[in-house]
Amino acid sequence: MPRVRPVIVVANWKMNTTPREAGDLAGRIAAATNEPDVVRVICPPFVGLHAVRDALAGTDVQLGVQNVHWEQAGAYTGEISAAMVAGLAGWAIVGHSERRRDQHETDERIGQKMRRCHETGIRPIFCVGEKLDERESGRAEQVVRSQVEAAFEALGPVEWPAHDDDATGGWLVVAYEPVWAIGTGRTARGSDAAEMAELIRETAGNAMPREQAAALPVLYGGSVTSATIGEFLAEPALDGALVGGASLKVDEMAGIVARAAVGARARKSAGPVS
Ligand code: PEP
């Protein structure tokens, strides 16, 4: 059935904030971003989860984590599984480029993490994106297509949950994050990011029900601020943003979500996209 894709803003705090700071910041962001038309998710460090959950109680801002392990339990010192955070966090970033770079995460592991999320009812925010040399050599689309294909292959056959919730979208969200744009102050062109979003949906449609692939929310990530978000939300193919550095600033988050709310309302009045 045709649907309006939701507008989603995800805050990735990375390795910032003590638990006390996290609770305080989450409370202030929730108060400054009271826009029910925008799905808002905060992903603090694991140790801040309880403080942020308490700070978000009574608001409609949702809680996520920045990673999960590819197994649910076992001899993996220092790791945290989807099973451990299920019931606390509803979302998990998987495959962030900083983890691909620093923890050498492969597409296969990332697909396995998505499977663990599926088993525990957590919604993955699956990150893909090309490096600078890959874009400059004209291979950006090939790289992103292969990241999506390989992760879906490792995810394996899953029952795609009924996509009946227009307010928050289906089970999966993809974030297109060109690596050269993350934390650099450089952003992709809105039109380039939109083309990549369509390529992601088309590729996903080979591995999941086509109707749900057409409704797959695709976010842009990479140096998004309140000043740059507009270019991305002007693209009907893009459904919001994954925000790193700017998500630690209350004013920036207020500006980003306010702009996203304008886009969300325009989208609702324009009607279904698929
Ligand atoms: C991110 O962490 O996913 C990100 C996009 O970071 P930044 O907004 O700082 O570029």
Side-chain angles (χ1 to χ4, degrees):
M1 191 217 284
R3 64 192 65 254
V4 177
R5 290 195 303 267
V7 175
I8 303 173
V9 174
V10 180
N12 174 16
W13 288 354
K14 312 194 185 195
M15 196 174 70
N16 293 292
T17 68
T18 64
R20 185 189 294 249
E21 289 165 350
D24 176 60
L25 182 59
R28 289 189 294 129
I29 288 177
T33 63
N34 189 15
E35 294 284 0
D37 289 325
V38 179
V39 179
R40 288 144 288 143
V41 182
I42 294 179
C43 302
F46 284 113
V47 292
L49 278 176
H50 283 97
V52 172
R53 179 199 56 187
D54 293 349
L56 297 180
T59 77
D60 58 357
V61 180
Q62 302 179 41
L63 187 55
V65 292
Q66 298 173 20
N67 179 45
V68 291
H69 197 263
W70 65 83
E71 295 290 355
Q72 297 291 32
Y76 299 100
T77 303
E79 296 290 341
I80 295 187
S81 71
M84 291 174 183
V85 294
L88 189 55
W91 302 73
I93 298 171
V94 296
H96 193 281
S97 64
E98 287 157 8
R99 295 194 60 86
R100 290 179 188 259
R101 179 194 66 200
D102 300 335
Q103 276 73 37
H104 312 292
E105 284 189 6
T106 61
D107 295 321
E108 187 185 1
R109 289 295 191 220
I110 291 161
Q112 289 165 343
K113 287 171 186 228
M114 284 162 53
R115 172 163 280 276
R116 298 308 178 200
C117 287
H118 190 273
E119 288 166 1
T120 45
I122 289 175
R123 298 185 61 187
I125 301 156
F126 165 42
C127 301
V128 294
E130 81 284 358
K131 298 190 192 113
L132 187 57
D133 63 309
E134 293 165 339
R135 173 151 288 269
E136 287 178 344
S137 60
R139 288 183 297 130
E141 295 193 351
Q142 181 193 324
V143 166
V144 169
R145 189 182 291 112
S146 106
Q147 288 173 338
V148 174
E149 284 171 351
F152 269 85
E153 193 180 331
L155 166 66
V158 290
E159 191 174 319
W160 290 86
H163 193 149
D164 57 1
D165 185 354
D166 275 349
T168 61
W171 169 63
L172 179 67
V173 171
V174 179
Y176 167 57
E177 299 207 301
V179 177
W180 47 271
I182 297 180
T184 60
R186 290 181 65 185
T187 54
R189 273 202 296 262
S191 55
D192 287 347
E195 272 177 31
M196 206 60 101
E198 291 299 14
L199 175 129
I200 288 165
R201 288 191 191 95
E202 183 195 307
T203 309
N206 296 326
M208 65 188 280
R210 287 230 161 250
E211 182 197 317
Q212 292 191 28
L216 186 63
V218 180
L219 317 183
Y220 167 76
S223 297
V224 166
T225 64
S226 56
T228 61
I229 182 81
E231 175 172 357
F232 301 102
L233 290 169
E235 297 288 345
L238 295 171
D239 305 308
L242 175 51
V243 187
S247 73
L248 292 159
K249 298 177 188 151
V250 177
D251 289 354
E252 279 296 313
M253 279 300 281
I256 290 168
V257 172
R259 179 64 190 73
V262 174
R265 286 191 281 271
R267 202 170 260 216
K268 275 183 187 161
S269 53
V273 293
S274 56

